[in-house]
Amino acid sequence: MCGIIGYIGNDEKKSILLNGLKELEYRGYDSSGISVLSEGELSTFKSVGKLINLERKCEGFHSSGFGLGIGHTRWATHGKPTEVNAHPHFGKFSNVVHNGIIENYHSIKESLQQQGRSFISQTDTEVIVHLFESHLENLKNPFEAFKHTISELKGAYAILLITQKSPDTIYYAKNGSPLIIGRGKDSKDAEAIYFASSDAPLIGLASEVCYLEDGTLGAIKAGGFHTLPNPKLLSGDKLSAQKDGFTFFMEKEIYEQHKVLLETMMGRVSEDNFSLEELSELDLSSVDSITLCACGTSYHAAIAGSYLIERIARLKVKVEIASEFRYRNPILQANELFVVISQSGETADTLEALKLAKRNGLKTLGICNVDNSSIVRESDFSLLTRAGIEKGVASTKAFATQVMVLWILANFIAQKCGILSKAAMKQEIKTMLEAVRATEVDKKAHEHIKRLSRRYLHGHGFFFIGRDIFYPLALEGALKLKEISYLHAEGYPSGEMKHGPIALADLGLFCVALMPQNLLYDKIKSNVEELSARDAMICALSAEYYEGCDDWIAIPKYSHYMVEFFAMMVVLQIFALEVAVRLGNDVDMPRNLAKSVTVE
Ligand code: M6R
């Protein structure tokens, strides 16, 4: 989704803004722009498409000496991805960048047009800068004008505004969209101030950061020492955000799953015990059911979690798609624990579902990959998934760690409720470690999938099928493939095929069958046979050769279905990756998608 960057200091503004935007690229965007205010001059550059286009546009521009700047990557919501619609938007002497949606922009625009102000873009954002300039005309004080402007906006926003009328100040406001202020030193050892919509661009620049709360607005002036409210230290671990020699972030992220899964377990799983310190204040005895709520891949992890929690902890679990949940006036029960799952912690639908549950008095838990994200801050309790920065838009290691956290949670609850014997606990922990090892990518197996992938570039679609917890894995396998290959793929519980979908079975239908040896093998086998009998092309994932298949991706023999689950997860991720690479697609930044969906 859109990304924001801002800077006040003495260093070259252009490069700081462009580098910052590069760090935000992975969120997905279709246009970008920067504005620099230095020596009273306001210079703005915008372009459509990749950042390289913007870099080319401002090649000859330099801005050494003191100044400030704002930048933006846009993912179109109101108005097409054109240069005019790209941010920063400008009035006569001020520029603005904005993430989120201004819901009442129509009425503001109309009244500004009646005052004779003209608009050039189709965006909601442009009203902010004209409204500011209109207030400034009357109030003569930029900060007062900014405050009045913000008070009239309805909707979600993170806003940075600069104006020639106050050339040493950045005005900022935050409500519903993330905004961070960072403080560091510039190359002259003087104080430098940074703004960004996520941590990534601030790593290595800001030593401390402040995650702004909803409803905050302010102005930061250059010079002088600034004390950030509630400052947090920012780690300088930039390396982990790089590609480590892999061609794609997605590939690197698939390969590092075994490491991050161990991180996820650290301190929470010992030889014979589960401990979640983060939940020490949570009274589990008052919880009689759990609702898991999320979007996309995180929703698939939620379904997987529902199988685990019900089976292991014997607690009733309901799973909700966040965008559906928020508008259907759901019935919520007092003793329900409301759990939201999110990689980014900024997904608008999930965040709003969480707020709704809180308003209804439910205890809430956020399972999230980004510390200090809106979801973590909003939840009563939180469990971090510890996957590290995930840059590939198609989620991989985040999914793996979400399932792991849910698996740990299931065992933790079972242990607390006294329904897990010491022996069973020990066995479960052994299985978890084996599952982690199963995610270590075997290069030979990767090569085999790569060769096989060329047989799957045509046809009229894919069914990914599985039973029980392999059903959400099938959903996830299909989502991975469609996200990056743009081929049509659906996930189904295999027992559902004969209730309709089997009508599609013919020579042009690919069926990826998840056939774990340790869970309902014979049941799924007969479902696959039905498809095979109707000429569908079968690609079987199993430990044992299944004679009805056209292709076989072998996984090693394991004695527990969860180990098979994690092994097959890796196969499905690599399969999607290799098909997409053969089709020449941008694996890390697939079309039409954004890493963090901060609008509903
Ligand atoms: O950050 P979140 O986990 O809340 O994001 C939810 C979905 O937008 C996300 O999982 C999406 O489906 C990914 N592109 C999946 O690869």
Side-chain angles (χ1 to χ4, degrees), residues 353-396:
L354 169 65
K355 288 181 183 166
L356 177 70
K358 271 185 85 174
R359 278 200 298 279
N360 281 275
L362 296 196
K363 279 264 157 293
T364 58
L365 164 65
I367 296 181
C368 192
N369 195 34
V370 181
D371 195 6
N372 291 309
S373 58
S374 303
I375 284 178
V376 168
R377 283 181 284 124
E378 194 69 33
S379 306
D380 297 319
F381 301 93
S382 60
L383 288 170
L384 292 179
T385 46
R386 305 181 187 162
I389 295 175
E390 187 179 64
K391 287 216 167 193
V393 165
S395 189
T396 52

Side-chain angles (χ1 to χ4, degrees), residues 33-240:
I34 58 167
S35 288
V36 172
L37 180 52
S38 182
E39 292 171 1
E41 282 287 309
L42 195 47
S43 316
T44 301
F45 303 88
K46 304 195 208 186
S47 111
V48 174
K50 302 255 171 205
L51 264 183
I52 183 80
N53 301 341
L54 181 64
E55 279 173 336
R56 286 199 189 114
K57 272 248 165 118
C58 44
E59 229 159 32
F61 172 75
H62 297 286
S63 61
S64 48
F66 174 77
L68 34 100
I70 53 178
H72 190 266
T73 48
R74 172 173 188 255
W75 188 77
T77 53
H78 293 74
K80 286 192 175 351
T82 60
E83 210 166 289
V84 173
N85 286 337
H87 302 212
H89 287 282
F90 42 82
K92 287 190 185 127
F93 44 79
S94 321
N95 282 14
V96 72
V97 291
H98 158 231
N99 282 357
I101 290 176
I102 306 300
E103 285 163 7
N104 58 338
Y105 85 102
H106 267 302
S107 57
I108 300 178
K109 190 168 176 175
E110 264 171 33
S111 80
L112 288 167
Q113 278 168 330
Q114 278 159 19
Q115 289 173 20
R117 294 189 186 265
S118 46
F119 287 75
I120 56 171
S121 81
Q122 301 158 302
T123 66
D124 51 337
T125 302
E126 200 184 352
V127 298
I128 304 171
V129 69
H130 291 302
L131 188 59
F132 169 76
E133 293 195 349
S134 149
H135 282 310
L136 189 57
E137 226 167 73
N138 303 324
L139 297 165
K140 310 290 180 221
N141 174 323
F143 190 44
E144 286 305 314
F146 186 68
K147 281 204 282 196
H148 275 73
T149 303
I150 300 304
S151 70
E152 284 178 48
L153 305 180
K154 292 210 172 83
Y157 48 79
I159 294 170
L160 297 182
L161 183 142
I162 55 177
T163 177
Q164 283 171 305
K165 304 290 176 193
S166 176
D168 55 356
T169 308
I170 292 188
Y171 299 91
Y172 61 89
K174 188 243 185 252
N175 192 42
S177 293
L179 188 60
I180 306 168
I181 306 181
R183 206 168 72 91
K185 292 260 164 80
D186 66 16
S187 53
K188 292 186 179 145
D189 220 25
E191 183 183 55
I193 297 291
Y194 303 88
F195 291 87
S197 47
S198 74
D199 282 347
L202 302 180
I203 296 173
L205 294 175
S207 47
E208 58 174 32
V209 291
C210 158
Y211 299 87
L212 295 178
E213 294 293 334
D214 280 350
T216 314
L217 66 80
I220 290 199
K221 239 188 187 5
F225 182 82
H226 293 93
T227 317
L228 298 183
N230 196 11
K232 301 237 157 49
L233 291 180
L234 189 69
S235 104
D237 186 10
K238 202 153 193 164
L239 252 190
S240 67

Side-chain angles (χ1 to χ4, degrees), residues 230-266:
N230 196 11
K232 301 237 157 49
L233 291 180
L234 189 69
S235 104
D237 186 10
K238 202 153 193 164
L239 252 190
S240 67
Q242 307 298 322
K243 282 189 200 156
D244 278 355
F246 288 97
T247 318
F248 304 102
F249 279 114
M250 182 182 175
E251 189 178 13
K252 171 191 163 257
E253 286 157 6
I254 294 172
Y255 271 71
E256 69 193 19
Q257 288 180 112
H258 64 287
K259 285 195 217 139
V260 296
L261 281 168
L262 284 178
E263 290 274 334
T264 307
M265 291 171 69
M266 208 173 302

Side-chain angles (χ1 to χ4, degrees), residues 268-298:
R268 293 167 170 166
V269 182
S270 63
E271 210 184 315
D272 59 359
N273 185 48
F274 293 93
S275 95
L276 290 173
E277 235 174 64
E278 302 93 321
L279 306 188
S280 55
E281 306 281 300
L282 173 66
D283 177 14
L284 276 171
S285 64
S286 66
V287 172
D288 58 19
S289 74
I290 292 184
T291 297
L292 301 173
C293 182
C295 301
T297 286
S298 302

